[in-house]
């Protein structure tokens, strides 16, 4: 078994078609297919090394501008539990009992609707598979995406490949995985994240997924989104920005209706988010500046535009009193092995 140090880098991704709710909470099977673009400006870097001298796994994480913190195994936080469960699961597949040292850092705020779990969990899973010598499961991207799903973050599945990726919901472990629609060089779209509030959200997406089925609108959403999934796929392949933009905005609003009508209700957007959504709609109608908004489980607004409009859209977003700063992203590669180790 390989015990050298391994480092990977993995991007966040922005969902054009969102997943919300699950079929199965043990296998983390998403309730619907989703489609996303990888984000070049929002990365997690993770280094892992097996260490036979350790009596416990040592996990150190650094979120954006905060100091490194050690994760504790018994904790109430679902995501931290999922991290340890993923370590134990992959170690068992590898037939090992050696402890692992992991160091991981994000270059963007976590838990604020910028898909930090997507980049962190895909990076964690890649680092674990590689350090435990399961290279085949990393190289086969379908298998890798299934392994990522088992850590509990559905969006993370879409970070394993570059560019534009669809996550197939599936009904069993074997038919729920990611497929690439087009790679990162296909279409230079921009996602400008307007940060209105970088703080951690109150209702985690894990808690949110559990309550999704209490919304009377979940099944309506699943029905009405089916043609949109097909249109979104087509719009990406045809590079039809107006068609894509309509899919993006409609799907975000549709998901937030489910979120707001579930029990307990999850209102992820705030006054700043609404102000930006209205502004972006006004730019389209009055100035012919084509940009579209989408929000995940947080108040920060992802504004999608074509590359020639990036400077203008960024300038306008930064002029809003609600916007603290912006992060500009283009499609990029999925999870990649790199040489620069964190320890
Ligand atoms: O990746 P999760 O399981 O934490 O869920 C995130 C879901 C959304 O970001 C709200 C939508 C999506 O498809 O990314």
């Amino acid at each position: 078994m390989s015990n050298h140090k391994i480092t990977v880098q993995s991007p966040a991704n922005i969902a054009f078609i969102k997943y919300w709710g699950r079929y199965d909470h043990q296998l983390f099977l998403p309730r619907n297919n989703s489609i996303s673009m990888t984000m070049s400006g929002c990365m997690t870097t993770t280094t892992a090394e097996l260490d036979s001298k350790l009596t416990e796994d040592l996990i150190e994480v650094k979120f954006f501008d905060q100091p490194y913190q050690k994760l504790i195994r018994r904790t109430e936080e679902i995501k931290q539990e999922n991290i340890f469960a993923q370590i134990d699961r992959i170690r068992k597949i590898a037939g090992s009992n050696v402890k692992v040292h992991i160091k991981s850092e994000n270059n963007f705020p976590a838990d604020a609707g910028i898909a930090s779990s997507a980049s962190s969990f895909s990076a964690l899973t890649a680092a674990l598979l590689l350090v435990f010598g399961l290279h085949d499961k990393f190289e086969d991207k379908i298998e890798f995406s299934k392994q990522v799903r088992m850590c509990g973050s559905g969006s993370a599945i879409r970070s394993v490949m570059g560019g534009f990726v669809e996550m197939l919901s599936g009904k069993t472990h074997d038919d729920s995985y990611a497929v690439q629609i087009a790679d990162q060089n296909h279409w230079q779209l921009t996602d400008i994240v307007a940060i209105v509030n970088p703080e951690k959200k109150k209702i985690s997406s894990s808690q949110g997924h559990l309550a999704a089925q209490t919304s009377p609108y979940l099944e309506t959403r699943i029905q009405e989104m089916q043609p949109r999934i097909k249109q979104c796929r087509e719009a990406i392949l045809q590079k039809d920005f107006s068609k894509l933009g309509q899919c993006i905005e409609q799907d975000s609003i549709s998901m937030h209706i489910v979120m707001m009508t579930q029990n307990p209700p999850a209102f992820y957007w705030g006054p700043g988010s609404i102000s930006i959504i209205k502004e972006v709609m006004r730019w389209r109608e009055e100035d012919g500046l084509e940009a579209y908004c989408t929000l995940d489980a947080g108040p920060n607004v992802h504004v999608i535009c074509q590359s020639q409009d990036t400077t203008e859209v960024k300038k306008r977003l930064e002029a809003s009193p609600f916007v603290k700063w912006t992060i500009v992203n283009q499609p990029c590669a999925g999870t990649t092995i790199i040489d620069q180790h964190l320890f």
Side-chain angles (χ1 to χ4, degrees), residues 15 18-20 22 117 152-155 158 205 209 255 296-297:
K18 316 285 193 187
Y19 109 88
W20 195 246
R22 297 189 183 120
S117 52
S153 166
S155 55
R158 300 182 307 241
S205 46
H209 286 298
M255 178 184 72
D296 284 339

Side-chain angles (χ1 to χ4, degrees), residues 49-68:
E49 185 176 38
L50 298 186
D51 188 342
S52 52
K53 292 190 286 310
L54 286 176
T55 51
E56 290 292 337
D57 296 314
L58 173 58
I59 319 297
E60 301 173 281
V61 293
K62 181 180 178 329
F63 296 116
F64 193 42
D65 52 358
Q66 293 159 25
Y68 265 103

Side-chain angles (χ1 to χ4, degrees), residues 150-293:
M150 291 310 293
C151 70
S153 166
S155 55
I157 304 168
R158 300 182 307 241
S159 285
V160 309
M161 296 162 191
F164 303 86
V165 176
E166 179 162 357
M167 169 168 90
L168 307 179
S169 58
K171 294 257 168 57
T172 65
H173 177 69
D174 285 337
D175 57 15
S176 179
Y177 53 85
V179 288
Q180 190 178 51
I181 296 175
D183 74 16
Q184 60 273 26
N185 303 313
H186 170 69
W187 195 9
Q188 287 307 296
L189 291 182
T190 307
D191 169 15
I192 308 178
V193 191
I195 308 286
V196 297
N197 183 354
E199 282 160 28
K200 193 173 165 158
K201 60 202 175 205
K202 292 194 177 59
I203 303 177
S204 71
S205 46
S206 305
Q207 290 166 310
H209 286 298
L210 284 169
Q213 64 223 36
T214 62
S215 166
Y217 299 105
L218 179 65
E219 288 312 313
T220 307
R221 164 168 164 73
I222 302 296
Q223 297 306 316
E224 65 89 22
M225 78 188 304
Q226 298 309 317
R228 193 162 55 240
I229 297 174
K230 183 167 171 283
Q231 279 160 20
C232 182
R233 218 182 279 133
E234 284 168 4
I236 290 169
L237 291 171
Q238 296 159 356
K239 302 188 197 173
D240 182 337
F241 189 60
S242 304
K243 183 167 163 178
L244 179 67
Q246 280 176 26
C247 293
I248 289 174
E249 263 187 17
Q250 282 169 6
D251 199 72
S252 174
I253 295 167
S254 162
M255 178 184 72
H256 281 271
I257 285 173
V258 174
M259 290 165 155
M260 290 187 292
T261 51
Q262 60 193 42
N263 186 13
F267 277 64
Y268 288 110
W269 44 21
S273 329
I274 300 289
S275 161
I276 294 166
I277 292 169
K278 288 187 148 186
E279 277 292 283
V280 170
M281 287 178 171
R282 193 176 62 75
W283 301 340
R284 274 205 316 263
E285 281 155 27
E286 293 180 9
D287 308 333
L289 179 61
E290 213 180 353
Y292 297 89
C293 295

Side-chain angles (χ1 to χ4, degrees), residues 13-225:
N13 64 73
I14 179 61
F16 294 162
I17 299 289
K18 316 285 193 187
Y19 109 88
W20 195 246
R22 297 189 183 120
Y23 269 123
D24 183 302
H25 293 283
Q26 256 76 49
L27 292 173
F28 305 106
L29 299 174
R31 184 66 188 78
N32 58 274
N33 285 23
S34 57
I35 297 178
S36 64
M37 180 183 100
T38 46
M39 296 166 62
S40 60
C42 296
M43 291 282 172
T44 296
T45 305
T46 301
T47 298
E49 185 176 38
L50 298 186
D51 188 342
S52 52
K53 292 190 286 310
L54 286 176
T55 51
E56 290 292 337
D57 296 314
L58 173 58
I59 319 297
E60 301 173 281
V61 293
K62 181 180 178 329
F63 296 116
F64 193 42
D65 52 358
Q66 293 159 25
Y68 265 103
Q69 51 175 286
K70 282 185 192 159
L71 297 188
I72 309 157
R73 191 167 262 272
R74 278 169 256 313
T75 165
E76 297 307 303
E77 286 243 358
I78 302 179
K79 285 210 168 127
Q80 292 199 18
E81 262 182 50
N82 290 351
I83 291 172
F84 287 105
Q86 185 74 331
I87 295 170
D88 292 342
R89 209 180 57 78
I90 292 177
R91 182 166 33 221
K92 195 169 167 197
I93 297 175
S96 169
N97 52 15
V98 182
K99 303 296 179 206
V100 63
H101 178 191
I102 289 174
K103 209 164 175 176
S104 184
E105 57 184 56
N106 275 2
N107 69 351
F108 62 103
D111 295 318
I114 321 177
S116 57
S117 52
S119 57
S120 340
F121 280 110
S122 48
L124 173 76
T125 305
L128 287 169
L129 290 173
L130 292 166
V131 85
F132 279 111
L134 301 167
H135 292 80
D136 292 356
K137 291 195 187 296
F138 172 75
E139 294 303 336
D140 173 349
K141 297 305 169 201
I142 289 184
E143 176 58 27
F144 174 32
S145 69
K146 291 184 200 166
Q147 294 296 328
V148 172
R149 172 164 48 71
M150 291 310 293
C151 70
S153 166
S155 55
I157 304 168
R158 300 182 307 241
S159 285
V160 309
M161 296 162 191
F164 303 86
V165 176
E166 179 162 357
M167 169 168 90
L168 307 179
S169 58
K171 294 257 168 57
T172 65
H173 177 69
D174 285 337
D175 57 15
S176 179
Y177 53 85
V179 288
Q180 190 178 51
I181 296 175
D183 74 16
Q184 60 273 26
N185 303 313
H186 170 69
W187 195 9
Q188 287 307 296
L189 291 182
T190 307
D191 169 15
I192 308 178
V193 191
I195 308 286
V196 297
N197 183 354
E199 282 160 28
K200 193 173 165 158
K201 60 202 175 205
K202 292 194 177 59
I203 303 177
S204 71
S205 46
S206 305
Q207 290 166 310
H209 286 298
L210 284 169
Q213 64 223 36
T214 62
S215 166
Y217 299 105
L218 179 65
E219 288 312 313
T220 307
R221 164 168 164 73
I222 302 296
Q223 297 306 316
E224 65 89 22
M225 78 188 304

